[in-house]
Amino acid sequence: MNKNTKKMVALGLLTAIVVVLQFVSMWIRTATFSITLSLVPIVVGAALYGKWSGAWLGGVFGLSVLLTGDANLFLAINPVGTVITVLVKGILAGFVVGLIYELIKKKSDVAATYVSGILAPIVNTGIFIVGCYLFFLNTIKDGAGSGSTFKYIIITFVGFNFLIELAVNLVLSPTIVRIVKIIRKENK
């Protein structure tokens, strides 16, 4: 099997894993949203095949979020803003992870994996917060009442989800390192 075929098959498998994990994770909730488990295969794909593959997997993740109904709360308020936010946060999470991995891997695969694992939920959540401000600020202000809008977003929408997603990526980073090393070795 040639290198391109192997990459295509691997990305197909990672794509399926992203979709399945997103559908499974819709049952694992804290407050408003489900916990994102799909970031792990995005990190694996970005580490193995680069930033554009990471962006692809992130886009699949975003589309899966829309299809699972996990974004319905926001879709009811601003459908266009929701679609933009959900797709951009996934795509950028995958792209940035791949970009940073490429920059750091020359020094250390392990460091590149951990940094990428940390960055995936940071970018995903950060873009979500930006999307909240761009497309849903008036609604969020109404919900916050006289309190801080930023604090309301963090407590109501981000909350424990971010911490759990970060913890999952950190705990699974050694496994990601092993997967990347095994697949790279097989591809040589």
Side-chain angles (χ1 to χ4, degrees), residues 64-147:
S64 298
V65 167
L66 293 170
L67 293 174
T68 60
D70 214 16
N72 284 351
L73 175 69
F74 286 91
L75 278 169
I77 299 165
N78 183 339
V80 172
T82 301
V83 170
I84 291 169
T85 300
V86 170
L87 291 177
V88 168
K89 77 184 184 73
I91 291 167
L92 282 180
F95 183 84
V96 168
V97 164
L99 179 66
I100 296 303
Y101 187 90
E102 287 173 13
L103 294 173
I104 299 175
K105 78 176 179 182
K106 296 167 188 153
K107 302 244 186 238
S108 167
D109 269 340
V110 174
T113 302
Y114 275 96
V115 171
S116 296
I118 292 167
L119 276 177
I122 290 172
V123 172
N124 184 53
T125 302
I127 299 298
F128 173 76
I129 292 170
V130 170
C132 285
Y133 273 96
L134 288 175
F135 300 111
F136 307 100
L137 188 57
N138 291 334
T139 304
I140 292 170
K141 279 183 180 177
D142 292 344
S146 62

